[in-house]
Amino acid sequence: MRIAFFVNSIETEGPHYSTGLLAMAALNRGHEVVYLTPGDFTLRSDDSLTIHATMLPKTKYKKSEAFHAALLDKALERRTMDVEEIDALMLRNDPSLDQTTRPWAVHAGILFGRLAEQRGVVVLNDPEGLALAQNKLYFQSFPEIVRPTTIISRNVEEIRAFADAHPKGVIVKPLQGSGGKNVFKIGSSKEANLNQIFEAVSLEGYLIAQAYLPAAKDGDIRFFMMNGRPLMRDGQYAALRRVPAKGDLRSNIHAHGTAEAATVTDEIVALAEMVRPKLVEDGMFLVGLDIVGDKILEVNVFSPGGLSNIRDLTTIDFSDTIIEAVEIKISMQSASGGVLANRLLATL
């Protein structure tokens, strides 16, 4: 099988990114692996969709660092092929990273992912589902009981009033964003630097304000879902606790948060069950839930990270389980003669 991984850029991929771990698992299972970036598609005049792929050597790797070095090798072969020559396309880019500097690239994965699935390629997560999830407004479509109280606005007075209604404080962040960038905690509307905070966050568009959950001081739980159910291997859940750096309210690993082993409670599993129907409906194959207490803060559907941290903490490599699930979907698609809808196939 040939599996393609779509990323923002190869040069910015890190040695411990989850995408690399998945690609390494695919290679180790005997598959061909190619990487694609936003500029690597051509829709030709005969309606064929061509990809200009970076080919990875068919080598097995034990360490992420060795795979990453191979991925960055400038001598890697670039091959032009019809998209129908790949069996699965995993959309693993973060659109928010391109929003400012490369706005043309923001929707490339979804747009060309749609064309690829129309030509029989298994595309994960489903591009139609991802189109619904391009910012944090998507989270508001999940059951209210799993979400913190939230307001989305660019009106400063609305957000001031919301802050005053929540004496424990609120978290303000961009509606479109990731990685913990421009995330602030506001105690009340009387804070001296409030205007500067609003100005910084609103540069990226709408603001989302959520009631602060005191349990967040201890970090959050990144909990993986696959095929609409908790991702498990050898009786263990794919989960980790992300702990903020001292003096920081962000638990993102990219924002200097640290990873610790997580205890998965019945309450966490119950929360995951409440969002399962929506994830299945939208064809969300692989998702990361960020959980604090009895609430979900975010549903990460584009490129949820943390698989390397979980592997280091538990010695369990969940990437192998994920690629095995991709193999099953490819086989299902082939056996059905290509008649299965991609959104259905994505969570079967």
Side-chain angles (χ1 to χ4, degrees), residues 99 135 137 150-162 172-176 182 186 194-209:
Q99 187 177 9
N135 57 54
L137 191 60
T150 300
I151 184 174
I152 297 170
S153 181
R154 279 181 59 84
N155 186 293
V156 173
E157 295 309 314
E158 290 270 8
I159 296 176
R160 285 182 185 275
F162 183 78
V172 176
K173 53 191 173 183
L175 183 62
Q176 180 81 45
N182 284 336
I186 296 173
L194 205 55
N195 286 335
Q196 291 93 323
I197 290 174
F198 287 149
E199 183 178 343
V201 181
S202 63
L203 285 174
E204 299 186 41
Y206 270 79
L207 289 69
I208 179 169

PDB file of all heavy atoms in Angstrom, residues 99 135 137 150-162 172-176 182 186 194-209:
ATOM      1  N   GLN A  99      -2.349  30.778   7.990  1.00  0.00           N
ATOM      2  CA  GLN A  99      -3.377  31.804   7.833  1.00  0.00           C
ATOM      3  C   GLN A  99      -2.799  33.178   7.507  1.00  0.00           C
ATOM      4  O   GLN A  99      -3.329  33.901   6.668  1.00  0.00           O
ATOM      5  CB  GLN A  99      -4.235  31.886   9.098  1.00  0.00           C
ATOM      6  CG  GLN A  99      -5.429  32.808   8.974  1.00  0.00           C
ATOM      7  CD  GLN A  99      -6.286  32.782  10.232  1.00  0.00           C
ATOM      8  OE1 GLN A  99      -5.906  32.208  11.248  1.00  0.00           O
ATOM      9  NE2 GLN A  99      -7.454  33.399  10.168  1.00  0.00           N
ATOM     10  N   ASN A 135     -12.155  26.250  12.512  1.00  0.00           N
ATOM     11  CA  ASN A 135     -11.839  27.079  13.666  1.00  0.00           C
ATOM     12  C   ASN A 135     -12.585  26.536  14.877  1.00  0.00           C
ATOM     13  O   ASN A 135     -13.316  25.552  14.782  1.00  0.00           O
ATOM     14  CB  ASN A 135     -12.161  28.562  13.411  1.00  0.00           C
ATOM     15  CG  ASN A 135     -13.617  28.764  13.020  1.00  0.00           C
ATOM     16  OD1 ASN A 135     -14.523  28.334  13.731  1.00  0.00           O
ATOM     17  ND2 ASN A 135     -13.845  29.419  11.894  1.00  0.00           N
ATOM     18  N   LEU A 137     -15.108  27.447  16.375  1.00  0.00           N
ATOM     19  CA  LEU A 137     -16.568  27.500  16.349  1.00  0.00           C
ATOM     20  C   LEU A 137     -17.154  26.093  16.197  1.00  0.00           C
ATOM     21  O   LEU A 137     -18.270  25.819  16.654  1.00  0.00           O
ATOM     22  CB  LEU A 137     -17.036  28.397  15.200  1.00  0.00           C
ATOM     23  CG  LEU A 137     -18.513  28.780  15.161  1.00  0.00           C
ATOM     24  CD1 LEU A 137     -18.906  29.549  16.417  1.00  0.00           C
ATOM     25  CD2 LEU A 137     -18.817  29.614  13.924  1.00  0.00           C
ATOM     26  N   THR A 150     -19.217  29.585  27.145  1.00  0.00           N
ATOM     27  CA  THR A 150     -18.394  30.217  26.112  1.00  0.00           C
ATOM     28  C   THR A 150     -19.124  31.379  25.456  1.00  0.00           C
ATOM     29  O   THR A 150     -20.352  31.366  25.317  1.00  0.00           O
ATOM     30  CB  THR A 150     -18.034  29.182  25.027  1.00  0.00           C
ATOM     31  OG1 THR A 150     -17.303  28.109  25.623  1.00  0.00           O
ATOM     32  CG2 THR A 150     -17.197  29.793  23.913  1.00  0.00           C
ATOM     33  N   ILE A 151     -18.353  32.382  25.046  1.00  0.00           N
ATOM     34  CA  ILE A 151     -18.869  33.442  24.194  1.00  0.00           C
ATOM     35  C   ILE A 151     -17.873  33.666  23.070  1.00  0.00           C
ATOM     36  O   ILE A 151     -16.651  33.561  23.271  1.00  0.00           O
ATOM     37  CB  ILE A 151     -19.104  34.747  24.983  1.00  0.00           C
ATOM     38  CG1 ILE A 151     -19.747  35.813  24.079  1.00  0.00           C
ATOM     39  CG2 ILE A 151     -17.826  35.256  25.608  1.00  0.00           C
ATOM     40  CD1 ILE A 151     -20.138  37.079  24.826  1.00  0.00           C
ATOM     41  N   ILE A 152     -18.378  33.951  21.870  1.00  0.00           N
ATOM     42  CA  ILE A 152     -17.540  34.232  20.708  1.00  0.00           C
ATOM     43  C   ILE A 152     -17.955  35.591  20.157  1.00  0.00           C
ATOM     44  O   ILE A 152     -19.116  35.800  19.806  1.00  0.00           O
ATOM     45  CB  ILE A 152     -17.694  33.141  19.630  1.00  0.00           C
ATOM     46  CG1 ILE A 152     -17.211  31.789  20.176  1.00  0.00           C
ATOM     47  CG2 ILE A 152     -16.919  33.515  18.359  1.00  0.00           C
ATOM     48  CD1 ILE A 152     -17.538  30.615  19.292  1.00  0.00           C
ATOM     49  N   SER A 153     -17.009  36.523  20.106  1.00  0.00           N
ATOM     50  CA  SER A 153     -17.365  37.886  19.720  1.00  0.00           C
ATOM     51  C   SER A 153     -16.111  38.677  19.378  1.00  0.00           C
ATOM     52  O   SER A 153     -14.993  38.277  19.719  1.00  0.00           O
ATOM     53  CB  SER A 153     -18.108  38.572  20.862  1.00  0.00           C
ATOM     54  OG  SER A 153     -18.498  39.886  20.516  1.00  0.00           O
ATOM     55  N   ARG A 154     -16.313  39.813  18.702  1.00  0.00           N
ATOM     56  CA  ARG A 154     -15.264  40.820  18.558  1.00  0.00           C
ATOM     57  C   ARG A 154     -15.660  42.100  19.295  1.00  0.00           C
ATOM     58  O   ARG A 154     -14.955  43.099  19.229  1.00  0.00           O
ATOM     59  CB  ARG A 154     -15.012  41.134  17.075  1.00  0.00           C
ATOM     60  CG  ARG A 154     -14.122  40.114  16.377  1.00  0.00           C
ATOM     61  CD  ARG A 154     -13.881  40.476  14.916  1.00  0.00           C
ATOM     62  NE  ARG A 154     -13.260  41.775  14.745  1.00  0.00           N
ATOM     63  CZ  ARG A 154     -11.946  42.001  14.820  1.00  0.00           C
ATOM     64  NH1 ARG A 154     -11.122  40.994  15.088  1.00  0.00           N
ATOM     65  NH2 ARG A 154     -11.462  43.198  14.634  1.00  0.00           N
ATOM     66  N   ASN A 155     -16.786  42.051  19.990  1.00  0.00           N
ATOM     67  CA  ASN A 155     -17.279  43.208  20.734  1.00  0.00           C
ATOM     68  C   ASN A 155     -16.669  43.209  22.135  1.00  0.00           C
ATOM     69  O   ASN A 155     -16.935  42.323  22.946  1.00  0.00           O
ATOM     70  CB  ASN A 155     -18.810  43.146  20.808  1.00  0.00           C
ATOM     71  CG  ASN A 155     -19.391  44.394  21.432  1.00  0.00           C
ATOM     72  OD1 ASN A 155     -19.197  44.654  22.612  1.00  0.00           O
ATOM     73  ND2 ASN A 155     -20.116  45.174  20.634  1.00  0.00           N
ATOM     74  N   VAL A 156     -15.862  44.217  22.410  1.00  0.00           N
ATOM     75  CA  VAL A 156     -15.127  44.275  23.661  1.00  0.00           C
ATOM     76  C   VAL A 156     -16.063  44.328  24.859  1.00  0.00           C
ATOM     77  O   VAL A 156     -15.830  43.671  25.886  1.00  0.00           O
ATOM     78  CB  VAL A 156     -14.167  45.483  23.665  1.00  0.00           C
ATOM     79  CG1 VAL A 156     -13.520  45.642  25.035  1.00  0.00           C
ATOM     80  CG2 VAL A 156     -13.107  45.323  22.587  1.00  0.00           C
ATOM     81  N   GLU A 157     -17.137  45.066  24.745  1.00  0.00           N
ATOM     82  CA  GLU A 157     -18.052  45.202  25.864  1.00  0.00           C
ATOM     83  C   GLU A 157     -18.753  43.886  26.182  1.00  0.00           C
ATOM     84  O   GLU A 157     -19.028  43.569  27.346  1.00  0.00           O
ATOM     85  CB  GLU A 157     -19.074  46.315  25.593  1.00  0.00           C
ATOM     86  CG  GLU A 157     -18.462  47.696  25.481  1.00  0.00           C
ATOM     87  CD  GLU A 157     -17.545  48.025  26.651  1.00  0.00           C
ATOM     88  OE1 GLU A 157     -17.945  47.769  27.814  1.00  0.00           O
ATOM     89  OE2 GLU A 157     -16.418  48.515  26.421  1.00  0.00           O
ATOM     90  N   GLU A 158     -19.062  43.110  25.142  1.00  0.00           N
ATOM     91  CA  GLU A 158     -19.664  41.789  25.360  1.00  0.00           C
ATOM     92  C   GLU A 158     -18.716  40.901  26.175  1.00  0.00           C
ATOM     93  O   GLU A 158     -19.131  40.191  27.099  1.00  0.00           O
ATOM     94  CB  GLU A 158     -19.968  41.129  24.013  1.00  0.00           C
ATOM     95  CG  GLU A 158     -21.099  41.756  23.234  1.00  0.00           C
ATOM     96  CD  GLU A 158     -22.440  41.128  23.558  1.00  0.00           C
ATOM     97  OE1 GLU A 158     -22.511  40.305  24.492  1.00  0.00           O
ATOM     98  OE2 GLU A 158     -23.426  41.471  22.882  1.00  0.00           O
ATOM     99  N   ILE A 159     -17.450  40.952  25.823  1.00  0.00           N
ATOM    100  CA  ILE A 159     -16.481  40.096  26.507  1.00  0.00           C
ATOM    101  C   ILE A 159     -16.207  40.612  27.920  1.00  0.00           C
ATOM    102  O   ILE A 159     -16.023  39.822  28.860  1.00  0.00           O
ATOM    103  CB  ILE A 159     -15.192  39.981  25.673  1.00  0.00           C
ATOM    104  CG1 ILE A 159     -15.527  39.272  24.347  1.00  0.00           C
ATOM    105  CG2 ILE A 159     -14.113  39.212  26.434  1.00  0.00           C
ATOM    106  CD1 ILE A 159     -14.380  39.178  23.388  1.00  0.00           C
ATOM    107  N   ARG A 160     -16.217  41.928  28.104  1.00  0.00           N
ATOM    108  CA  ARG A 160     -16.076  42.487  29.457  1.00  0.00           C
ATOM    109  C   ARG A 160     -17.216  41.995  30.357  1.00  0.00           C
ATOM    110  O   ARG A 160     -16.994  41.582  31.496  1.00  0.00           O
ATOM    111  CB  ARG A 160     -16.093  44.014  29.394  1.00  0.00           C
ATOM    112  CG  ARG A 160     -14.818  44.658  28.869  1.00  0.00           C
ATOM    113  CD  ARG A 160     -14.961  46.171  28.900  1.00  0.00           C
ATOM    114  NE  ARG A 160     -13.827  46.844  28.317  1.00  0.00           N
ATOM    115  CZ  ARG A 160     -12.706  47.138  28.961  1.00  0.00           C
ATOM    116  NH1 ARG A 160     -12.586  46.809  30.244  1.00  0.00           N
ATOM    117  NH2 ARG A 160     -11.713  47.749  28.352  1.00  0.00           N
ATOM    118  N   ALA A 161     -18.442  42.053  29.827  1.00  0.00           N
ATOM    119  CA  ALA A 161     -19.604  41.619  30.611  1.00  0.00           C
ATOM    120  C   ALA A 161     -19.512  40.124  30.931  1.00  0.00           C
ATOM    121  O   ALA A 161     -19.870  39.688  32.032  1.00  0.00           O
ATOM    122  CB  ALA A 161     -20.888  41.929  29.848  1.00  0.00           C
ATOM    123  N   PHE A 162     -19.012  39.345  29.964  1.00  0.00           N
ATOM    124  CA  PHE A 162     -18.854  37.901  30.180  1.00  0.00           C
ATOM    125  C   PHE A 162     -17.830  37.643  31.287  1.00  0.00           C
ATOM    126  O   PHE A 162     -18.029  36.791  32.151  1.00  0.00           O
ATOM    127  CB  PHE A 162     -18.415  37.242  28.877  1.00  0.00           C
ATOM    128  CG  PHE A 162     -18.279  35.746  28.942  1.00  0.00           C
ATOM    129  CD1 PHE A 162     -19.389  34.929  28.895  1.00  0.00           C
ATOM    130  CD2 PHE A 162     -17.026  35.159  29.051  1.00  0.00           C
ATOM    131  CE1 PHE A 162     -19.269  33.544  28.954  1.00  0.00           C
ATOM    132  CE2 PHE A 162     -16.882  33.774  29.113  1.00  0.00           C
ATOM    133  CZ  PHE A 162     -18.014  32.969  29.062  1.00  0.00           C
ATOM    134  N   VAL A 172      -9.271  33.862  27.262  1.00  0.00           N
ATOM    135  CA  VAL A 172      -9.529  34.500  25.968  1.00  0.00           C
ATOM    136  C   VAL A 172      -8.462  34.041  24.983  1.00  0.00           C
ATOM    137  O   VAL A 172      -7.268  34.029  25.305  1.00  0.00           O
ATOM    138  CB  VAL A 172      -9.525  36.037  26.085  1.00  0.00           C
ATOM    139  CG1 VAL A 172      -9.699  36.681  24.715  1.00  0.00           C
ATOM    140  CG2 VAL A 172     -10.625  36.504  27.027  1.00  0.00           C
ATOM    141  N   LYS A 173      -8.900  33.655  23.775  1.00  0.00           N
ATOM    142  CA  LYS A 173      -7.958  33.196  22.752  1.00  0.00           C
ATOM    143  C   LYS A 173      -8.569  33.430  21.381  1.00  0.00           C
ATOM    144  O   LYS A 173      -9.781  33.684  21.268  1.00  0.00           O
ATOM    145  CB  LYS A 173      -7.636  31.710  22.949  1.00  0.00           C
ATOM    146  CG  LYS A 173      -8.847  30.801  23.038  1.00  0.00           C
ATOM    147  CD  LYS A 173      -8.451  29.403  23.489  1.00  0.00           C
ATOM    148  CE  LYS A 173      -9.674  28.528  23.755  1.00  0.00           C
ATOM    149  NZ  LYS A 173      -9.301  27.191  24.259  1.00  0.00           N
ATOM    150  N   PRO A 174      -7.756  33.355  20.317  1.00  0.00           N
ATOM    151  CA  PRO A 174      -8.302  33.553  18.970  1.00  0.00           C
ATOM    152  C   PRO A 174      -9.234  32.401  18.584  1.00  0.00           C
ATOM    153  O   PRO A 174      -9.000  31.246  18.955  1.00  0.00           O
ATOM    154  CB  PRO A 174      -7.061  33.561  18.068  1.00  0.00           C
ATOM    155  CG  PRO A 174      -5.896  33.703  18.980  1.00  0.00           C
ATOM    156  CD  PRO A 174      -6.304  33.134  20.292  1.00  0.00           C
ATOM    157  N   LEU A 175     -10.285  32.723  17.849  1.00  0.00           N
ATOM    158  CA  LEU A 175     -11.179  31.682  17.347  1.00  0.00           C
ATOM    159  C   LEU A 175     -10.431  30.768  16.389  1.00  0.00           C
ATOM    160  O   LEU A 175     -10.657  29.562  16.353  1.00  0.00           O
ATOM    161  CB  LEU A 175     -12.387  32.318  16.647  1.00  0.00           C
ATOM    162  CG  LEU A 175     -13.457  31.360  16.131  1.00  0.00           C
ATOM    163  CD1 LEU A 175     -14.095  30.580  17.262  1.00  0.00           C
ATOM    164  CD2 LEU A 175     -14.517  32.120  15.337  1.00  0.00           C
ATOM    165  N   GLN A 176      -9.540  31.358  15.595  1.00  0.00           N
ATOM    166  CA  GLN A 176      -8.718  30.584  14.671  1.00  0.00           C
ATOM    167  C   GLN A 176      -7.302  30.576  15.207  1.00  0.00           C
ATOM    168  O   GLN A 176      -6.623  31.599  15.207  1.00  0.00           O
ATOM    169  CB  GLN A 176      -8.730  31.219  13.271  1.00  0.00           C
ATOM    170  CG  GLN A 176      -7.905  30.497  12.222  1.00  0.00           C
ATOM    171  CD  GLN A 176      -8.626  29.315  11.624  1.00  0.00           C
ATOM    172  OE1 GLN A 176      -9.787  29.390  11.285  1.00  0.00           O
ATOM    173  NE2 GLN A 176      -7.937  28.197  11.481  1.00  0.00           N
ATOM    174  N   ASN A 182      -1.341  33.375  21.852  1.00  0.00           N
ATOM    175  CA  ASN A 182      -2.264  34.440  22.249  1.00  0.00           C
ATOM    176  C   ASN A 182      -3.416  33.928  23.116  1.00  0.00           C
ATOM    177  O   ASN A 182      -4.589  34.193  22.856  1.00  0.00           O
ATOM    178  CB  ASN A 182      -2.816  35.169  21.017  1.00  0.00           C
ATOM    179  CG  ASN A 182      -1.808  36.117  20.407  1.00  0.00           C
ATOM    180  OD1 ASN A 182      -0.890  36.578  21.085  1.00  0.00           O
ATOM    181  ND2 ASN A 182      -1.944  36.394  19.125  1.00  0.00           N
ATOM    182  N   ILE A 186      -8.226  36.297  32.047  1.00  0.00           N
ATOM    183  CA  ILE A 186      -8.730  37.586  32.518  1.00  0.00           C
ATOM    184  C   ILE A 186      -9.505  37.358  33.807  1.00  0.00           C
ATOM    185  O   ILE A 186     -10.431  36.534  33.849  1.00  0.00           O
ATOM    186  CB  ILE A 186      -9.647  38.235  31.461  1.00  0.00           C
ATOM    187  CG1 ILE A 186      -8.845  38.544  30.193  1.00  0.00           C
ATOM    188  CG2 ILE A 186     -10.287  39.502  32.004  1.00  0.00           C
ATOM    189  CD1 ILE A 186      -9.705  39.032  29.047  1.00  0.00           C
ATOM    190  N   LEU A 194      -6.356  45.069  29.840  1.00  0.00           N
ATOM    191  CA  LEU A 194      -7.399  44.376  29.091  1.00  0.00           C
ATOM    192  C   LEU A 194      -7.464  44.829  27.636  1.00  0.00           C
ATOM    193  O   LEU A 194      -7.607  44.014  26.714  1.00  0.00           O
ATOM    194  CB  LEU A 194      -8.754  44.585  29.771  1.00  0.00           C
ATOM    195  CG  LEU A 194      -9.797  43.514  29.521  1.00  0.00           C
ATOM    196  CD1 LEU A 194      -9.267  42.141  29.901  1.00  0.00           C
ATOM    197  CD2 LEU A 194     -11.074  43.823  30.306  1.00  0.00           C
ATOM    198  N   ASN A 195      -7.335  46.126  27.413  1.00  0.00           N
ATOM    199  CA  ASN A 195      -7.403  46.625  26.032  1.00  0.00           C
ATOM    200  C   ASN A 195      -6.269  46.065  25.182  1.00  0.00           C
ATOM    201  O   ASN A 195      -6.465  45.736  24.007  1.00  0.00           O
ATOM    202  CB  ASN A 195      -7.366  48.156  26.018  1.00  0.00           C
ATOM    203  CG  ASN A 195      -8.674  48.771  26.480  1.00  0.00           C
ATOM    204  OD1 ASN A 195      -9.728  48.135  26.380  1.00  0.00           O
ATOM    205  ND2 ASN A 195      -8.619  49.996  26.984  1.00  0.00           N
ATOM    206  N   GLN A 196      -5.074  45.941  25.774  1.00  0.00           N
ATOM    207  CA  GLN A 196      -3.941  45.384  25.033  1.00  0.00           C
ATOM    208  C   GLN A 196      -4.178  43.908  24.696  1.00  0.00           C
ATOM    209  O   GLN A 196      -3.821  43.449  23.610  1.00  0.00           O
ATOM    210  CB  GLN A 196      -2.651  45.532  25.844  1.00  0.00           C
ATOM    211  CG  GLN A 196      -2.182  46.981  25.984  1.00  0.00           C
ATOM    212  CD  GLN A 196      -2.699  47.621  27.260  1.00  0.00           C
ATOM    213  OE1 GLN A 196      -3.818  47.361  27.684  1.00  0.00           O
ATOM    214  NE2 GLN A 196      -1.872  48.482  27.857  1.00  0.00           N
ATOM    215  N   ILE A 197      -4.783  43.182  25.645  1.00  0.00           N
ATOM    216  CA  ILE A 197      -5.093  41.774  25.394  1.00  0.00           C
ATOM    217  C   ILE A 197      -6.092  41.653  24.251  1.00  0.00           C
ATOM    218  O   ILE A 197      -5.905  40.867  23.318  1.00  0.00           O
ATOM    219  CB  ILE A 197      -5.641  41.108  26.674  1.00  0.00           C
ATOM    220  CG1 ILE A 197      -4.528  40.965  27.719  1.00  0.00           C
ATOM    221  CG2 ILE A 197      -6.247  39.741  26.345  1.00  0.00           C
ATOM    222  CD1 ILE A 197      -5.005  40.447  29.056  1.00  0.00           C
ATOM    223  N   PHE A 198      -7.167  42.436  24.306  1.00  0.00           N
ATOM    224  CA  PHE A 198      -8.171  42.391  23.243  1.00  0.00           C
ATOM    225  C   PHE A 198      -7.549  42.735  21.893  1.00  0.00           C
ATOM    226  O   PHE A 198      -7.841  42.112  20.875  1.00  0.00           O
ATOM    227  CB  PHE A 198      -9.310  43.367  23.546  1.00  0.00           C
ATOM    228  CG  PHE A 198     -10.221  42.919  24.650  1.00  0.00           C
ATOM    229  CD1 PHE A 198     -10.844  43.843  25.469  1.00  0.00           C
ATOM    230  CD2 PHE A 198     -10.443  41.565  24.892  1.00  0.00           C
ATOM    231  CE1 PHE A 198     -11.680  43.437  26.493  1.00  0.00           C
ATOM    232  CE2 PHE A 198     -11.276  41.149  25.915  1.00  0.00           C
ATOM    233  CZ  PHE A 198     -11.900  42.084  26.724  1.00  0.00           C
ATOM    234  N   GLU A 199      -6.678  43.730  21.906  1.00  0.00           N
ATOM    235  CA  GLU A 199      -6.056  44.151  20.654  1.00  0.00           C
ATOM    236  C   GLU A 199      -5.181  43.049  20.077  1.00  0.00           C
ATOM    237  O   GLU A 199      -5.220  42.763  18.865  1.00  0.00           O
ATOM    238  CB  GLU A 199      -5.217  45.415  20.895  1.00  0.00           C
ATOM    239  CG  GLU A 199      -4.580  45.970  19.635  1.00  0.00           C
ATOM    240  CD  GLU A 199      -3.805  47.248  19.908  1.00  0.00           C
ATOM    241  OE1 GLU A 199      -4.015  47.872  20.971  1.00  0.00           O
ATOM    242  OE2 GLU A 199      -2.980  47.619  19.052  1.00  0.00           O
ATOM    243  N   ALA A 200      -4.404  42.386  20.928  1.00  0.00           N
ATOM    244  CA  ALA A 200      -3.510  41.325  20.463  1.00  0.00           C
ATOM    245  C   ALA A 200      -4.286  40.149  19.900  1.00  0.00           C
ATOM    246  O   ALA A 200      -3.961  39.619  18.834  1.00  0.00           O
ATOM    247  CB  ALA A 200      -2.607  40.865  21.606  1.00  0.00           C
ATOM    248  N   VAL A 201      -5.331  39.735  20.610  1.00  0.00           N
ATOM    249  CA  VAL A 201      -6.075  38.550  20.182  1.00  0.00           C
ATOM    250  C   VAL A 201      -6.941  38.848  18.965  1.00  0.00           C
ATOM    251  O   VAL A 201      -7.046  38.039  18.038  1.00  0.00           O
ATOM    252  CB  VAL A 201      -6.941  38.005  21.346  1.00  0.00           C
ATOM    253  CG1 VAL A 201      -7.704  36.760  20.894  1.00  0.00           C
ATOM    254  CG2 VAL A 201      -6.074  37.667  22.546  1.00  0.00           C
ATOM    255  N   SER A 202      -7.547  40.027  18.923  1.00  0.00           N
ATOM    256  CA  SER A 202      -8.477  40.340  17.840  1.00  0.00           C
ATOM    257  C   SER A 202      -7.782  40.578  16.504  1.00  0.00           C
ATOM    258  O   SER A 202      -8.444  40.624  15.466  1.00  0.00           O
ATOM    259  CB  SER A 202      -9.330  41.557  18.207  1.00  0.00           C
ATOM    260  OG  SER A 202      -8.525  42.713  18.377  1.00  0.00           O
ATOM    261  N   LEU A 203      -6.448  40.711  16.517  1.00  0.00           N
ATOM    262  CA  LEU A 203      -5.728  40.822  15.247  1.00  0.00           C
ATOM    263  C   LEU A 203      -5.947  39.594  14.379  1.00  0.00           C
ATOM    264  O   LEU A 203      -5.849  39.652  13.153  1.00  0.00           O
ATOM    265  CB  LEU A 203      -4.227  41.013  15.502  1.00  0.00           C
ATOM    266  CG  LEU A 203      -3.777  42.395  15.983  1.00  0.00           C
ATOM    267  CD1 LEU A 203      -2.299  42.379  16.331  1.00  0.00           C
ATOM    268  CD2 LEU A 203      -4.074  43.461  14.919  1.00  0.00           C
ATOM    269  N   GLU A 204      -6.246  38.456  15.010  1.00  0.00           N
ATOM    270  CA  GLU A 204      -6.443  37.208  14.283  1.00  0.00           C
ATOM    271  C   GLU A 204      -7.912  36.934  13.984  1.00  0.00           C
ATOM    272  O   GLU A 204      -8.262  35.864  13.490  1.00  0.00           O
ATOM    273  CB  GLU A 204      -5.839  36.046  15.078  1.00  0.00           C
ATOM    274  CG  GLU A 204      -4.345  36.205  15.296  1.00  0.00           C
ATOM    275  CD  GLU A 204      -3.723  34.991  15.965  1.00  0.00           C
ATOM    276  OE1 GLU A 204      -4.095  33.855  15.614  1.00  0.00           O
ATOM    277  OE2 GLU A 204      -2.861  35.186  16.841  1.00  0.00           O
ATOM    278  N   GLY A 205      -8.788  37.913  14.295  1.00  0.00           N
ATOM    279  CA  GLY A 205     -10.204  37.752  13.967  1.00  0.00           C
ATOM    280  C   GLY A 205     -11.068  37.730  15.209  1.00  0.00           C
ATOM    281  O   GLY A 205     -10.846  38.495  16.153  1.00  0.00           O
ATOM    282  N   TYR A 206     -12.048  36.839  15.210  1.00  0.00           N
ATOM    283  CA  TYR A 206     -12.954  36.737  16.348  1.00  0.00           C
ATOM    284  C   TYR A 206     -12.229  36.176  17.566  1.00  0.00           C
ATOM    285  O   TYR A 206     -11.242  35.452  17.450  1.00  0.00           O
ATOM    286  CB  TYR A 206     -14.147  35.847  16.003  1.00  0.00           C
ATOM    287  CG  TYR A 206     -15.318  36.608  15.416  1.00  0.00           C
ATOM    288  CD1 TYR A 206     -15.320  36.998  14.076  1.00  0.00           C
ATOM    289  CD2 TYR A 206     -16.409  36.945  16.207  1.00  0.00           C
ATOM    290  CE1 TYR A 206     -16.381  37.703  13.548  1.00  0.00           C
ATOM    291  CE2 TYR A 206     -17.477  37.650  15.683  1.00  0.00           C
ATOM    292  CZ  TYR A 206     -17.463  38.030  14.352  1.00  0.00           C
ATOM    293  OH  TYR A 206     -18.516  38.736  13.827  1.00  0.00           O
ATOM    294  N   LEU A 207     -12.761  36.522  18.746  1.00  0.00           N
ATOM    295  CA  LEU A 207     -12.232  36.034  20.006  1.00  0.00           C
ATOM    296  C   LEU A 207     -13.188  34.994  20.579  1.00  0.00           C
ATOM    297  O   LEU A 207     -14.403  35.097  20.409  1.00  0.00           O
ATOM    298  CB  LEU A 207     -12.086  37.166  21.026  1.00  0.00           C
ATOM    299  CG  LEU A 207     -10.984  38.215  20.821  1.00  0.00           C
ATOM    300  CD1 LEU A 207     -11.250  39.109  19.627  1.00  0.00           C
ATOM    301  CD2 LEU A 207     -10.868  39.074  22.085  1.00  0.00           C
ATOM    302  N   ILE A 208     -12.642  34.021  21.248  1.00  0.00           N
ATOM    303  CA  ILE A 208     -13.438  33.074  22.006  1.00  0.00           C
ATOM    304  C   ILE A 208     -13.046  33.204  23.475  1.00  0.00           C
ATOM    305  O   ILE A 208     -11.858  33.216  23.801  1.00  0.00           O
ATOM    306  CB  ILE A 208     -13.258  31.631  21.490  1.00  0.00           C
ATOM    307  CG1 ILE A 208     -14.101  30.658  22.335  1.00  0.00           C
ATOM    308  CG2 ILE A 208     -11.801  31.194  21.466  1.00  0.00           C
ATOM    309  CD1 ILE A 208     -14.167  29.261  21.719  1.00  0.00           C
ATOM    310  N   ALA A 209     -14.041  33.379  24.328  1.00  0.00           N
ATOM    311  CA  ALA A 209     -13.807  33.469  25.763  1.00  0.00           C
ATOM    312  C   ALA A 209     -14.541  32.315  26.436  1.00  0.00           C
ATOM    313  O   ALA A 209     -15.716  32.070  26.153  1.00  0.00           O
ATOM    314  CB  ALA A 209     -14.289  34.809  26.308  1.00  0.00           C
TER     315      ALA A 209
END
